[in-house]
Amino acid sequence: MIMSPLPCSAGVDSDRRFFLRQAGAAAVWPWLSARLEAADDQPAGPGPDQSVLIARDKEPLCLEFPFATLKDFQMPNPQFFVRNHFTIPQLEVQNWRLRVEGAVQRPFELTYDELRKLPAHTQTTLIECTGNGRAFLTPRAKGVQWELGGVSNAQWTGVALADLLRRAGARPDAAEIILEGADFGEPSSEPRPAGKIHFARSLPFSKARQPNVLLAYLMNGERLAPAHGYPLRAIVPGWYGVAMVKWLTRIIVAERPFRGYSQTFDYSYFRRGPDQLPIVVAVGELQVKAQIARPARGEMLPAGKEVRIFGAAWTGESEVTRVDISTDGGKTWQPANLLDKPIPYTWRFWEMAWRPDQPGRYRLLARAADRRGHVQPLERNPDLRNYLISHPVPVEVEVRG
Ligand SMILES: Nc1nc2c(c(=O)[nH]1)N[C@H]1C(S)=C(S)[C@@H](COP(=O)(O)O)O[C@H]1N2
Ligand SMILES: [Mo]
């Protein structure tokens, strides 16, 4: 494959030569070159705090945010949930490259420094794992047993995927963009391909071209931690986490839909057409959803005292416009108060004051709706297999006199 030379890599070299000329004497050369090497060696950001997060899996590492402690709109990096399928690759930016290839006129490769010199964009985006809430499914569904904390929101900074596709001259009739990570291993369940595979996932070209789809190197203003994809990961606003490939090393412009493992045998569900025949679809856009953070499941509350019911709601390519709360297991509903301003692709906090006068057991439910009129389904649709868990999950509390 032919790599076209990049103007900015030439820029780096001439800067360095200029700098060396300024430094002058030959005697300083070994010392200076060691210093320059060290300057290129940008470290990864601080990783997850395992004393705060709930370990759902040690290897590959899966850590849940304790959702009952929710308070920050932007989740501090050490508290952001983690979902890995394989061992975290330990990448060094000096050796790391991003390749853009496939159905393009000008395939190219970027170094980390070259990438950091491209125009940067910032986008606040929520990541939810498609299995979030799985622990509440009956019968038990296979996969990581997330309760409510397979979700977090952060501010991401990086380059627009669209800019790189333009630079490569992606064919306008391309079907999809495949994102490949450096991590690899054997998938844990059948059916699966033989041996080790890399984590890879595609986006339709129409989605990949949106200016808010980023390849991010900063998370809340800090370098990504190795657990979150250092040095580079995809951010796909409005989609489930599985599309936000970490440890990105390759972008392939594909002329046909990509039927890779993580969007066929894994991370897929059934949708009924007008003829009622179930067809397999890859997990993509987020479902509208509200979750109660507090009170927490099993909490004891004093009768006759006001309680604040508090949580968050989010959706895909729309905006949360309504959250309703039931304190009687779904018989009656009252609107919650939506807090702050809606920011697309993030979560919106909400609250409702509740004063339970009678002692007893109460089932609290939250149900969100978005501007398009999508409403959380009250019942679980079994066609969704072990994914897209968006029916309201009851929070049972006890009120004592
Ligand atoms: N390369 C790679 N990217 C990946 C994954 C992975 O295992 N490998 N997991 C995906 C899934 S299923 C989710 S939910 C998100 C989780 O991102 P986080 O660990 O930063 O929270 O990363 C996605 N990107
Ligand atoms: Mo996920």
Side-chain angles (χ1 to χ4, degrees):
M1 192 181 56
I2 302 154
M3 299 290 171
S4 59
L6 291 165
C8 55
S9 72
V12 171
D13 280 339
S14 60
D15 283 357
R16 187 184 271 212
R17 273 196 300 274
F18 173 76
F19 190 31
L20 290 175
R21 249 197 328 274
Q22 292 300 299
V28 287
W29 161 242
W31 170 82
L32 188 62
S33 99
R35 285 289 297 263
L36 283 169
E37 250 32 303
D40 283 343
D41 175 21
Q42 294 107 341
D49 182 345
Q50 304 216 27
S51 71
V52 173
L53 296 167
I54 305 158
R56 292 281 170 228
D57 232 320
K58 286 256 184 284
E59 182 55 44
L61 190 66
C62 293
L63 301 168
E64 171 162 353
F65 167 68
F67 198 73
T69 67
L70 180 70
K71 69 173 172 29
D72 301 293
F73 173 73
Q74 255 173 249
M75 187 65 70
N77 294 0
Q79 291 171 43
F80 202 100
F81 89 100
V82 174
R83 171 52 166 131
N84 296 333
H85 292 77
F86 304 125
T87 301
I88 297 174
Q90 298 298 327
L91 302 178
E92 288 172 13
V93 287
Q94 302 95 301
N95 311 322
W96 174 90
R97 297 288 182 276
L98 176 68
R99 267 195 289 156
V100 182
E101 60 184 46
V104 300
Q105 284 164 347
R106 300 171 294 276
F108 65 87
E109 231 180 49
L110 285 177
T111 66
Y112 186 74
D113 285 340
E114 287 163 350
L115 188 90
R116 292 292 306 253
K117 290 195 178 110
L118 299 177
H121 304 266
T122 292
Q123 167 78 34
T124 303
T125 294
L126 164 137
I127 305 184
E128 183 184 15
C129 184
T130 335
N132 189 32
R134 188 178 285 144
F136 304 109
L137 295 181
T138 44
R140 185 188 157 107
K142 72 163 190 181
V144 178
Q145 295 298 301
W146 302 105
E147 293 187 1
L148 299 175
V151 60
S152 298
N153 179 55
Q155 187 199 66
W156 309 92
T157 303
V159 301
L161 174 55
D163 286 351
L164 299 192
L165 296 174
R166 212 172 295 120
R167 177 169 177 165
R171 280 189 45 172
D173 59 345
E176 294 194 344
I177 307 300
I178 305 170
L179 308 172
E180 186 188 49
D183 55 330
F184 61 91
E186 284 187 31
S188 54
S189 60
E190 292 287 357
R192 59 183 167 190
K196 295 179 173 167
I197 58 167
H198 280 266
F199 189 89
R201 195 28 243 234
S202 69
L203 299 174
F205 193 27
S206 56
K207 178 67 181 172
R209 262 192 307 227
Q210 298 300 310
N212 62 7
V213 174
L214 300 186
L215 308 184
Y217 43 77
L218 299 184
M219 176 176 184
N220 293 326
E222 289 190 82
R223 288 222 173 77
L224 293 178
H228 294 295
Y230 177 79
L232 193 71
R233 78 169 309 161
I235 290 297
V236 186
W239 279 43
Y240 279 105
V242 66
M244 309 207 200
V245 176
K246 304 193 273 189
W247 310 292
L248 259 182
T249 48
R250 192 154 65 123
I251 295 169
I252 308 158
V253 178
E255 290 168 278
R256 276 183 195 73
F258 174 61
R259 313 249 306 130
Y261 177 77
S262 296
Q263 57 201 83
T264 53
F265 292 117
D266 221 7
Y267 292 98
S268 69
Y269 60 97
F270 293 101
R271 184 186 287 157
R272 306 269 167 169
D275 51 17
Q276 287 308 304
L277 292 172
I279 55 159
V280 181
V281 256
V283 162
E285 198 189 338
L286 285 170
Q287 304 292 297
V288 62
K289 184 171 183 180
Q291 286 190 173
I292 300 172
R294 292 185 289 282
R297 263 177 313 122
E299 215 173 292
M300 306 277 189
L301 304 169
K305 213 177 146 223
E306 195 170 276
V307 183
R308 178 187 189 233
I309 305 177
F310 170 75
W314 55 90
T315 188
E317 310 276 358
S318 186
E319 203 173 88
V320 172
T321 46
R322 192 183 171 103
V323 173
D324 288 308
I325 305 297
S326 173
T327 56
D328 55 13
K331 280 190 220 105
T332 61
W333 297 85
Q334 296 102 289
N337 188 11
L338 295 174
L339 304 171
D340 307 313
K341 288 207 180 67
I343 302 174
Y345 309 119
T346 68
W347 50 23
R348 192 163 183 195
F349 292 170
W350 52 263
E351 65 180 4
M352 195 189 83
W354 175 48
R355 213 184 81 168
D357 289 321
Q358 297 305 315
R361 294 185 143 271
Y362 289 81
R363 279 161 70 89
L364 313 183
L365 294 164
R367 189 187 197 195
D370 69 21
R371 193 167 295 291
R372 294 174 297 195
H374 291 191
V375 187
Q376 274 183 258
L378 288 176
E379 299 297 330
R380 173 72 184 157
N381 171 3
D383 276 349
L384 303 178
R385 303 180 55 216
N386 50 341
Y387 300 114
L388 276 69
I389 300 125
S390 75
H391 62 296
V393 174
V395 170
E396 297 217 9
V397 294
E398 197 172 329
V399 173
R400 290 200 168 165

